[in-house]
């Protein structure tokens, strides 16, 4: 079981959690009312307004000035629709960021004065007072700008619903600031912008969703674009002959002249559709709640996590896309090339398509060219084996975390979708790092240390901070080891340096994300902490490796015979009452096995080595009775500590005098107001 006693709690968890979704009906059954008239909404909740005939709006006001728009308040814009019983396809949604009362009215005609008002987190007795004041209002006013504000106005468009090759609706009338949300259904369609004069051909600077194959209706795939002006916009589906057959649409097309009907007539004469060579363009693809920014040419590569393994194929697998493009076939589950077994993404198999799914989620792939020399040093082989072991531990930890917070996971909804997507991407990126090391060791036939044969100790509890803590510690551990290994191989095997130092950047970004989840400074120090690779190996073996099948399988050359004694921080004395105040002293706990102490020390005196950002390390005396040591004043952020029996050695020799550790400690956020002088003239 992981313990978080040495880390802060997660104060941001509540603000990151996704709350309830409330629906308010506006003008249903031709009644001038909001239903419900009032509601209670918590921080993190969303409120969606659905509109009925004939033409209503949602405007925020103050209590004192009903029927008058509140400065910087939300506004839906007017939503004309014909049905009194069926809601418009246009909705307006606001996010609740605090629990302050919100007063709302409809700014159409005299609707506000007639009592068409609404309240969020308001007292019931106040509603009648608000209505009385509204009835006295001399005017019912809309914001000067007719654009929606401080909320999301969406027009929902179905693409290929019920197997029909059509956009529903296809003749769209919307105001600037509206999001057009294309919802894709079976089988495989696209939404591509063209000009009126050249239908079925993409226009320069226009939008393109790319091809989006959908296997079943449980699969949620949308493409969002923003209406930016009132000029007509024309679009089509580039799949096969769908454009020619009338699967076209428009936004704000005129009712005479260049009408939608005239555009469709032009399209009927086009034999072959075209599609841009890359996507998405001019919009955002969101797949099962996750932003999906990476496509293979015009084809959406659906991550393995979103593919139903029970489905063997789709119509998209069987048909050929006739749109002219660099990719001549519609995307399928089996699109891709190369072999790669990813342990960190669900559903991955040793098949030809695995690597492209991983690369999609990771935002890139392993190196295309390694520039291998004829030989590699034994030291470098050992270092890469250590890094590969840590990548395996980190990748599996991140993936386990991701599975729990993703769709259908036990913690689904606890993080916003953007953060879930980031953690998914982290998992995939570590898989790419792991493959990079495996390729190199395999090339030189040095896979003698089999990390997959070792049984790992990964988080298993029901607390999310176990996964947060483990991921953060592993990232800091490997960043430190990568920095050390980069220095150590610089002379003998410098050809591999680019792969290592660029991985440090990726892992630093990941640790910054987790720092922010913990409400800590994302960039708490000017450089990363370098940790001797031997100490990093010791920590990984002690805290994350339960067993290896035999000694040889669990042994890496040049590493210590046995890991150092585990080190625990049981208490931090702080400078104030705030848990994020500077740490002044730490109380440690460790037990040194008999005969395990080496180095130059006499076994009676111990120090704590504080390893901070590269170039800063120092020692403080450890009280032998209380095991208390002072924290150096010039340390910030996360640092590593090691109990040693000699305080005269340099950083590279720490493993020679170490008796317990390492362990990670949060010291302090950077503090103080300074004049950095960047505005001054440089002479």
């Amino acid at each position: 079981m992981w313990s978080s006693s040495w880390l802060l709690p997660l104060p941001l968890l509540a603000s990151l959690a996704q709350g309830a979704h409330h629906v308010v009906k506006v003008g249903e059954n031709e009644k001038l009312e909001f239903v419900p008239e009032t509601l209670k909404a918590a921080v993190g909740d969303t409120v969606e307004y659905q509109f009925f005939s004939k033409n209503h709006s949602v405007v925020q006001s103050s209590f004192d000035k009903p029927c008058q728009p509140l400065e910087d308040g939300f506004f839906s814009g007017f939503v004309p629709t014909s049905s009194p019983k069926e809601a418009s396809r246009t909705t307006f949604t606001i996010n609740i960021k605090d629990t302050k009362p919100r007063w709302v009215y409809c700014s159409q005609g005299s609707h506000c004065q007639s009592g068409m008002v609404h309240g969020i987190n308001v007292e019931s007795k106040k509603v009648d007072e608000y209505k009385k004041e509204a009835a006295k209002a001399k005017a019912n006013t809309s914001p000067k700008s007719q654009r929606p504000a401080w909320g999301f106005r969406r027009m929902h468009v179905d693409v290929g619903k019920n197997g029909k090759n059509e956009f529903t609706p296809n003749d769209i009338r919307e105001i600037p600031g509206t999001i057009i949300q294309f919802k894709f259904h079976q089988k495989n369609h696209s939404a591509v912008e063209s000009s009126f004069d050249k239908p079925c051909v993409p226009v320069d600077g226009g939008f393109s969703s790319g091809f989006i194959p959908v296997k079943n209706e449980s699969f949620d795939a949308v493409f969002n674009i923003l209406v930016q002006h009132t000029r007509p916009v024309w679009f089509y589906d580039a799949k096969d002959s769908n454009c020619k057959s009338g699967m076209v649409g428009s936004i704000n097309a005129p009712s005479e002249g260049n009408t939608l009907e005239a555009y469709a007539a032009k399209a009927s004469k086009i034999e072959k559709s075209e599609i841009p060579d890359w996507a998405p363009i001019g919009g955002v693809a969101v797949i099962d709640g996750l932003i999906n920014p990476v496509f293979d040419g015009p084809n959406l590569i659906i991550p393995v996590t979103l593919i139903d393994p029970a489905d063997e194929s789709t119509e998209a697998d069987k048909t050929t896309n006739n749109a002219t493009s660099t990719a001549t076939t519609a995307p399928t589950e089996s699109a891709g090339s190369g072999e790669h077994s990813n342990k960190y993404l669900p559903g991955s198999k040793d098949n030809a398509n695995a690597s492209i799914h991983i690369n999609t989620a990771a935002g890139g792939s392993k190196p295309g060219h390694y520039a291998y020399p004829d030989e590699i040093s034994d030291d470098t082989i050992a270092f890469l084996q250590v890094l590969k072991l840590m990548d395996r531990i980190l990748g599996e930890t991140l993936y386990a975390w991701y599975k729990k917070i993703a769709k259908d996971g036990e913690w689904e909804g606890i993080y916003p979708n953007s953060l879930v997507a980031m953690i998914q991407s982290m998992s995939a990126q570590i898989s790419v790092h792991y493959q990079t090391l495996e390729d190199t060791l395999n090339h030189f036939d040095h896979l003698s240390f089999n990390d997959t044969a070792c049984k790992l100790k990964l988080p298993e509890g029901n607390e999310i901070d176990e996964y947060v803590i483990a991921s953060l510690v592993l990232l800091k551990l490997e960043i430190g080891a990568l920095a050390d290994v980069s220095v150590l191989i610089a002379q003998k095997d410098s050809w591999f340096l680019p792969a290592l130092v660029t991985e440090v950047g990726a892992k630093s970004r990941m640790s910054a994300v987790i720092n922010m989840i913990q409400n800590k400074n994302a960039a708490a120090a000017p450089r990363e902490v370098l940790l001797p690779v031997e100490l990093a190996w010791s920590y990984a073996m002690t805290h994350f490796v339960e067993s290896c099948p035999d000694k040889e399988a669990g042994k890496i050359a040049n590493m210590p015979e046995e890991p150092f004694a585990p080190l625990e921080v049981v208490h931090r004395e702080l400078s104030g009452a705030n848990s994020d105040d500077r740490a002044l002293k730490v109380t440690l706990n460790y037990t040194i096995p008999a005969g395990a102490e080496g180095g130059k020390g006499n076994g009676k005196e111990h120090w704590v080595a504080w390893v901070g950002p590269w170039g800063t390390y120092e020692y403080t005396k450890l009280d032998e009775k209380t095991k208390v040591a002072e924290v150096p004043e010039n340390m910030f952020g996360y640092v590593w500590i090691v109990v040693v029996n000699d305080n005269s050695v340099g950083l590279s020799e720490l493993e020679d005098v170490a008796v317990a550790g390492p362990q990670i400690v949060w010291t302090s956020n950077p503090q103080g107001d300074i004049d950095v002088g960047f505005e001054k003239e440089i002479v």
Side-chain angles (χ1 to χ4, degrees):
M1 178 69 68
W2 277 85
S3 169
S4 60
S5 59
W6 49 275
L7 285 174
L8 298 180
L10 300 176
L12 286 185
L13 200 56
S15 63
L16 290 173
Q18 294 178 314
H21 183 70
H22 307 270
V23 173
V24 178
K25 297 183 178 182
V26 184
E28 187 178 22
N29 295 320
E30 297 186 345
K31 294 180 180 180
L32 299 183
E33 62 183 11
F34 291 84
V35 178
E37 190 171 68
T38 64
L39 62 87
K40 296 291 184 182
V43 174
D45 288 2
T46 54
V47 180
E48 177 184 292
Y49 294 91
Q50 298 179 351
F51 298 86
F52 298 82
S53 64
K54 296 181 180 177
N55 191 359
H56 299 287
S57 66
V58 171
V59 191
Q60 184 179 6
S61 78
S62 65
F63 176 80
D64 297 330
K65 294 182 179 180
C67 311
Q68 300 296 313
L70 179 69
E71 185 177 358
D72 292 330
F74 53 78
F75 174 51
S76 65
F78 287 101
V79 183
T81 188
S82 58
S83 174
K85 297 183 180 296
E86 184 178 344
S88 168
R89 285 179 169 269
T90 300
T91 61
F92 182 68
T93 304
I94 62 170
N95 296 324
I96 303 300
K97 298 182 179 179
D98 58 60
T99 57
K100 296 177 181 178
R102 287 171 169 79
W103 297 96
V104 182
Y105 67 99
C106 173
S107 59
Q108 179 65 260
S110 60
H111 290 188
C112 179
Q113 291 92 331
S114 299
M116 193 171 182
V117 299
H118 166 65
I120 302 174
N121 295 328
V122 301
E123 298 178 21
S124 299
K125 63 181 181 180
K126 288 281 191 180
V127 177
D128 290 336
E129 295 179 31
Y130 183 69
K131 283 185 176 181
K132 289 179 181 178
E133 291 302 314
K136 301 175 186 177
K138 295 181 179 180
N140 188 18
T141 309
S142 300
K144 291 181 180 179
S145 172
Q146 294 302 300
R147 286 176 174 261
W150 297 106
F152 299 94
R153 176 176 169 133
R154 293 184 180 90
M155 156 60 81
H156 302 266
V157 179
D158 286 307
V159 183
K161 189 173 183 179
N162 296 325
K164 297 180 180 180
N165 291 334
E166 62 185 20
F167 296 96
T168 309
N170 65 345
D171 190 3
I172 300 167
R173 310 284 168 173
E174 274 299 348
I175 61 176
T178 302
I179 297 168
I180 306 297
Q181 184 170 88
F182 293 97
K183 162 70 175 174
F184 289 83
H185 300 269
Q186 297 170 288
K187 307 167 185 177
N188 187 12
H189 298 284
S190 63
V192 185
E193 185 179 352
S194 78
S195 66
F196 178 84
D197 293 330
K198 293 184 178 181
C200 312
V201 177
V203 66
D204 289 343
F207 62 80
S208 173
S209 68
F211 290 111
I212 300 183
V214 175
K215 290 192 171 186
N216 55 61
E217 288 303 309
S218 65
F219 183 85
D220 186 29
V222 301
F223 178 65
N224 297 321
I225 65 166
L226 183 68
V227 178
Q228 301 187 44
H229 50 70
T230 58
R231 298 189 298 275
V233 174
W234 312 94
F235 58 89
Y236 64 97
D237 177 20
K239 179 72 170 65
D240 296 335
S241 59
N242 288 356
C243 181
K244 175 182 174 67
S245 300
M247 193 168 179
V248 297
S250 63
I251 304 171
N252 297 328
S255 55
E256 296 181 354
N258 291 346
T259 62
L260 175 60
E261 291 76 15
Y263 175 69
K266 279 179 170 284
S268 67
K269 301 175 183 179
I270 306 299
E271 293 300 324
K272 198 169 187 178
S273 297
E274 298 181 18
I275 191 168
D277 291 337
W278 198 252
I281 301 172
V284 177
V286 184
I287 311 300
D288 267 13
L290 302 180
I291 294 175
N292 199 91
V294 183
F295 285 62
D296 177 28
N299 298 332
L300 169 61
I301 300 301
I302 302 170
V304 179
T305 55
L306 306 178
I307 293 175
D308 183 356
D311 290 332
E312 294 298 327
S313 63
T314 66
E315 291 299 317
D317 295 326
K318 304 171 185 176
T319 58
T320 301
N321 163 37
N322 292 322
T324 301
S325 168
T326 55
T328 57
T329 58
T332 70
E333 180 179 350
S334 60
S337 61
E339 294 185 358
H340 180 53
S341 174
N342 177 27
K343 305 171 180 62
Y344 317 130
L345 286 179
S348 295
K349 301 176 181 178
D350 291 324
N351 57 22
N353 68 62
S355 64
I356 197 163
H357 295 310
I358 297 163
N359 299 344
T360 298
S365 63
K366 62 186 181 180
H369 304 282
Y370 289 89
Y372 291 128
D374 294 334
E375 59 183 23
I376 187 173
S377 70
D378 290 340
D379 286 345
T380 298
I381 289 293
F383 300 148
L384 299 190
Q385 288 173 337
V386 174
L387 296 175
K388 182 167 172 277
L389 169 65
M390 289 193 287
D391 270 338
R392 180 194 164 203
I393 300 169
L394 175 58
E396 293 199 10
T397 301
L398 284 169
Y399 171 55
W401 182 12
Y402 164 72
K403 271 208 311 185
K404 286 181 176 289
I405 61 176
K407 186 177 181 181
D408 298 326
E410 61 185 280
W411 297 330
E412 178 185 2
I414 201 168
Y415 289 150
N417 290 330
S418 57
L419 187 53
V420 175
M422 275 191 269
I423 295 169
Q424 179 196 34
S425 181
M426 291 179 193
S427 170
Q429 288 173 16
I430 299 303
S431 178
V432 172
H433 297 173
Y434 181 93
Q435 185 65 46
T436 300
L437 295 167
E438 189 168 64
D439 283 354
T440 301
L441 292 168
N442 190 49
H443 175 82
F444 291 102
D445 196 22
H446 279 287
L447 289 173
S448 56
F449 171 70
N450 182 12
D451 59 89
T452 61
C454 297
K455 185 177 180 181
L456 304 183
K457 295 186 292 187
L458 301 178
E460 296 179 347
N462 296 320
E463 297 295 331
I464 196 168
D465 65 341
E466 294 184 32
Y467 295 86
V468 176
I469 293 164
S471 299
L472 177 68
V473 171
L474 284 161
L475 282 165
K476 294 297 185 182
L477 189 73
E478 194 166 359
I479 288 169
L482 280 165
D484 188 41
V485 169
S486 298
V487 174
L488 294 173
I489 73 169
Q491 288 188 334
K492 293 183 179 179
D493 294 297
S494 60
W495 58 272
F496 200 65
L497 274 177
L500 296 185
V501 298
T502 50
E503 281 186 19
V504 172
K507 289 181 167 81
S508 294
R509 291 193 296 272
M510 296 180 200
S511 68
V513 169
I514 299 179
N515 271 5
M516 289 190 288
I517 291 175
Q518 293 186 302
N519 202 25
K520 290 182 170 65
N521 193 315
R527 295 175 299 280
E528 294 292 350
V529 178
L530 182 151
L531 185 68
V533 65
E534 296 85 358
L535 294 174
W537 170 86
S538 175
Y539 190 95
M541 294 297 291
T542 299
H543 293 271
F544 294 101
V545 178
E546 182 174 316
S547 63
C548 291
D550 56 68
K551 192 170 183 178
E552 288 305 314
K555 179 65 178 171
I556 299 177
N558 300 337
M559 293 299 110
E561 284 296 322
E562 298 290 340
F564 300 111
L567 177 61
E568 182 183 6
V569 179
V570 296
H571 179 69
R572 291 186 310 143
E573 181 181 323
L574 306 177
S575 61
N578 191 322
S579 60
D580 204 30
D581 287 333
R582 168 166 286 283
L584 302 177
K585 295 180 181 179
V586 292
T587 303
L588 308 179
N589 182 41
Y590 60 92
T591 301
I592 304 173
E597 186 158 353
K600 303 176 183 178
N602 56 22
K604 297 180 180 179
E605 291 183 295
H606 295 97
W607 291 264
V608 176
W610 297 83
V611 184
W614 182 85
T616 58
Y617 73 93
E618 60 183 280
Y619 299 94
T620 59
K621 190 73 175 66
L622 182 68
D623 188 300
E624 300 297 332
K625 292 183 179 180
T626 62
K627 288 189 168 61
V628 172
E630 293 186 355
V631 180
E633 293 183 358
N634 63 336
M635 294 289 177
F636 295 93
Y638 282 108
V639 301
W640 288 98
I641 62 172
V642 185
V643 175
V644 298
N645 58 18
D646 186 355
N647 65 344
S648 64
V649 302
L651 180 61
S652 62
E653 301 172 283
L654 274 185
E655 78 273 11
D656 296 329
V657 297
V659 296
Q663 186 55 272
I664 195 168
V665 178
W666 176 262
T667 56
S668 175
N669 271 320
Q671 299 169 348
D673 296 323
I674 61 170
D675 178 7
V676 296
F678 284 141
E679 76 285 358
K680 296 177 182 178
E681 182 179 358
I682 299 176
V683 179

